[in-house]
Amino acid sequence: DAEITQSPRHKITETGRQVTLACHQTWNHNNMFWYRQDLGHGLRLIHYSYGVQDTNKGEVSDGYSVSRSNTEDLPLTLESAASSQTSVYFCASSDHGETQYFGPGTRLLVL
Amino acid sequence: AQSVTQLDSQVPVFEEAPVELRCNYSSSVSVYLFWYVQYPNQGLQLLLKYLSGSTLVKGINGFEAEFNKSQTSFHLRKPSVHISDTAEYFCAVFGGTSYGKLTFGQGTILTVHP
């Protein structure tokens, strides 16, 4: 069955370190998205991609970057982790349509 | 840009009672509407969606939602809840001026008590 996976599921890091969260989907979807979930804010879009070599900034992109070298993967990099980036991160994908399928999430703690 | 407001952050209810989770949206153009459910320590799962046609949409686990264009609302309902419905529910809007992207509400935590 097609799926979307995220790794690691839990991560503890220190302020200032570079961190990369992986997202891999086997749906063969063109569109991929990264969100962060914080209490009282719902999910907020960090970055998104409509295809290979395409990346776009979402509403909370400062301090994050993504790259899309193939259809299946959209890694999210925190250039220099900050305590404000402690959150739960979700990856999602969709075909040309509107329904997004979500991964299980990564819990990140920045100390 | 569009926005989504979920009017209740927490909704406690007894088992077998009916429940309504409220969602209002704002958009200057037509959009698609969604409800997602998140069980503890899990990702988001699509509950139902409105794209066009009948304004009453039925989803999984006995949930339904009604699209009301004049009131810009998309409230979620279930006539009789179970303990297993305890979760966080998110309303989301797709399209309009933010083509290709979902805009989420803040979430409503539904807690079903025995």
Side-chain angles (χ1 to χ4, degrees), chain B residues 23-27 29-31 33 50 53 55 66-75 77:
Chain B
C23 173
N24 286 106
Y25 70 94
S26 66
S27 176
V29 297
S30 296
V31 294
L33 296 156
Y50 172 79
T55 57
E66 185 156 18
F67 169 60
N68 188 320
K69 187 175 182 179
S70 63
Q71 297 187 5
T72 60
S73 68
F74 191 55
H75 301 332
R77 302 185 182 100

Side-chain angles (χ1 to χ4, degrees), chain A residues 36-44 60 64 84-89, chain B residues 88 90 106:
Chain A
R36 60 178 289 173
Q37 182 182 22
D38 304 288
L39 194 63
H41 291 278
L43 277 77
R44 292 180 292 176
V60 290
Y64 303 95
S84 60
Q85 294 176 308
T86 292
S87 187
V88 181
Y89 291 86
Chain B
E88 188 162 17
F90 292 95
Q106 302 90 330

Side-chain angles (χ1 to χ4, degrees), chain A residues 54-73:
Chain A
D54 176 74
T55 61
N56 305 279
K57 293 182 179 180
E59 61 178 308
V60 290
S61 61
D62 287 348
Y64 303 95
S65 64
V66 293
S67 61
R68 187 93 180 267
S69 58
N70 59 53
T71 301
E72 295 81 16
D73 299 290

Side-chain angles (χ1 to χ4, degrees), chain A residues 33 45 48 50 100, chain B residues 2 93-95 98-103:
Chain A
F33 307 84
L45 184 63
Y48 58 102
Y50 289 147
Q100 293 185 17
Chain B
Q2 52 264 20
V93 166
F94 174 93
S98 298
Y99 181 76
K101 296 179 285 183
L102 280 173
T103 301

Side-chain angles (χ1 to χ4, degrees), chain A:
Chain A
D1 286 348
E3 62 178 354
I4 180 166
T5 57
Q6 295 183 234
S7 62
R9 293 294 311 279
H10 304 270
K11 175 76 176 178
I12 301 175
T13 191
E14 295 177 343
T15 301
R17 289 188 179 270
Q18 184 181 78
V19 176
T20 297
L21 309 183
C23 175
H24 179 80
Q25 53 99 1
T26 58
W27 295 94
N28 200 34
H29 285 163
N30 287 309
N31 306 332
M32 296 185 73
F33 307 84
W34 273 105
Y35 297 89
R36 60 178 289 173
Q37 182 182 22
D38 304 288
L39 194 63
H41 291 278
L43 277 77
R44 292 180 292 176
L45 184 63
I46 305 172
H47 281 286
Y48 58 102
S49 169
Y50 289 147
V52 176
Q53 302 301 330
D54 176 74
T55 61
N56 305 279
K57 293 182 179 180
E59 61 178 308
V60 290
S61 61
D62 287 348
Y64 303 95
S65 64
V66 293
S67 61
R68 187 93 180 267
S69 58
N70 59 53
T71 301
E72 295 81 16
D73 299 290
L74 187 69
L76 177 71
T77 298
L78 286 68
E79 305 294 344
S80 177
S83 57
S84 60
Q85 294 176 308
T86 292
S87 187
V88 181
Y89 291 86
F90 287 99
C91 180
S93 71
S94 71
D95 201 344
H96 296 291
E98 70 296 324
T99 302
Q100 293 185 17
Y101 298 89
F102 285 80
T106 293
R107 289 185 177 272
L108 177 67
L109 175 61
V110 182
L111 299 175

